[in-house]
Amino acid sequence: MFHGSIVALLTPFKGGKVDEKAFQSFVEWQVAQGTHGLVPCGTTGESPTLSHEEHNRVVELCIEAAGGKVPVMAGTGSNSTDEAIALTRHARQAGAQAALVVTPYYNKPSQEGLYQHFKAIHDAADLPIFIYNIPGRSVVDMSVATMARLAKLPNIVGVKDATADLARPSRLLQDVGTDFIQLSGEDATALAFNAQGGVGCISVTANIAPALCSAMQTAWAEGDLKEAFRLRDVLAPLHDSMFVETSPAPVKFAASLLGLSTDEVRLPLVTATDTARAAVRAAMSKAGLLS
């Protein structure tokens, strides 16, 4: 169900509040542009600064706007196991097809702690779960052995791998086989990740270039390597520009240039600097997104 270009949705704000109308219009545009799947309330969606009520509402709005046309993987992670369980149960009740659960940040659990955290969520919420392994933000790194152990649980179905370790998917593949869905969390190496055993990417860049990201993943899946590599090269400057400063400030500025969202972010994040804005504009122009 989850493959190809899956967008890590930004959350539009207006006057400090979630802009529900803009968000649903944005989801509808993503679907129309060919995005293969949707992830609300991930890091790009500023989940750490959404209240629980806002978090649940954004998931509901996404599912409603998607209208069953593409699957929804709701971000439901937390460094509190009980909180992650509550968010995952809500996602199931709202109609999400899966949950994306980040490794607990700040607590620094051991590998056994990571296993027990995910097992508890698995046992309490009847919903397919993707592990989100991003040591750059959460500090902890789930080992291949721990992930393989979790993969034996029926509802632990895949991973979003943001380690930037391109040996990782191949190693994991040896232990868990092809049924375990491996998705990249790094736009710049998405095709290389596929070559190592992945089947798609949960993308930041897809917020502003959904058609290009989708076309690249489709070309790869269809064996059109020449076109996949061409699109990879078109997208490369965009990927770089989305991370010139802390995400999602650059991508929100990019979205504002396309009239999709304001560039508002919530503290402790701040809007993109002039230097970052210049880099984003240049990359978007080079990719043909701006005239």
Side-chain angles (χ1 to χ4, degrees):
M1 179 179 292
F2 288 97
H3 62 86
S5 180
I6 303 165
V7 60
L9 292 163
L10 58 80
T11 303
F13 297 132
K14 188 174 182 180
K17 296 183 178 181
V18 175
D19 188 338
E20 296 190 359
K21 183 177 180 180
F23 179 69
Q24 289 204 304
S25 294
F26 183 58
V27 169
E28 291 166 359
W29 178 72
Q30 284 285 333
V31 174
Q33 288 285 304
T35 287
H36 300 122
L38 304 164
V39 178
C41 297
T43 308
T44 310
E46 296 177 76
S47 57
T49 53
L50 295 177
S51 69
H52 290 170
E53 292 76 17
E54 287 173 327
H55 187 120
N56 290 341
R57 179 62 175 156
V58 168
V59 170
E60 292 164 1
L61 290 167
C62 180
I63 292 166
E64 181 181 287
K69 295 177 182 176
V70 298
V72 174
M73 181 193 304
T76 63
S78 172
N79 65 338
S80 162
T81 304
D82 286 346
E83 184 175 294
I85 287 171
L87 292 172
T88 306
R89 282 175 170 169
H90 172 267
R92 176 179 56 79
Q93 292 164 1
Q97 282 71 48
L100 179 65
V101 179
V102 70
T103 50
Y105 41 87
Y106 192 80
N107 305 33
K108 295 185 70 174
S110 65
Q111 293 299 310
E112 182 62 23
L114 288 172
Y115 177 83
Q116 295 299 336
H117 173 79
F118 279 89
K119 184 177 185 300
I121 300 166
H122 170 279
D123 292 349
D126 185 20
L127 188 67
I129 292 170
F130 283 77
I131 300 162
Y132 183 11
N133 194 29
I134 181 167
R137 283 189 184 253
S138 64
V139 181
V140 295
D141 181 6
M142 183 181 289
S143 69
V144 169
T146 299
M147 201 169 295
R149 185 182 173 200
L150 282 166
K152 295 176 182 178
L153 302 175
N155 267 347
I156 305 290
V157 300
V159 60
K160 175 184 177 182
D161 185 322
T163 64
D165 178 0
L166 290 174
R168 185 76 65 101
S170 178
R171 293 191 187 111
L172 186 59
L173 185 65
Q174 305 309 309
D175 289 344
V176 300
T178 57
D179 288 342
F180 193 73
I181 303 167
Q182 296 198 62
L183 300 169
S184 171
E186 296 284 341
D187 273 302
T189 57
L191 282 192
F193 188 91
N194 283 355
Q196 290 287 86
V199 295
C201 179
I202 297 179
S203 169
V204 173
T205 304
N207 278 282
I208 58 162
L212 289 172
C213 291
S214 174
M216 184 189 75
Q217 289 286 343
T218 298
W220 173 271
E222 294 177 351
D224 188 350
L225 301 188
K226 182 177 180 180
E227 178 64 2
F229 294 154
R230 183 189 73 82
L231 290 166
R232 174 201 61 193
D233 295 342
V234 169
L235 285 163
L238 273 179
H239 299 327
D240 290 343
S241 73
M242 293 301 97
F243 294 94
V244 290
E245 291 177 352
T246 303
S247 183
V251 75
K252 278 199 154 179
F253 172 66
S256 74
L257 294 179
L258 298 176
L260 301 170
S261 169
T262 69
D263 67 345
E264 285 186 38
V265 291
R266 282 184 173 170
L267 288 170
L269 299 183
V270 293
T271 55
T273 63
D274 289 344
T275 300
R277 288 169 187 255
V280 169
R281 283 183 184 274
M284 292 177 72
S285 296
K286 189 173 183 179
L289 300 183
L290 295 177
S291 56

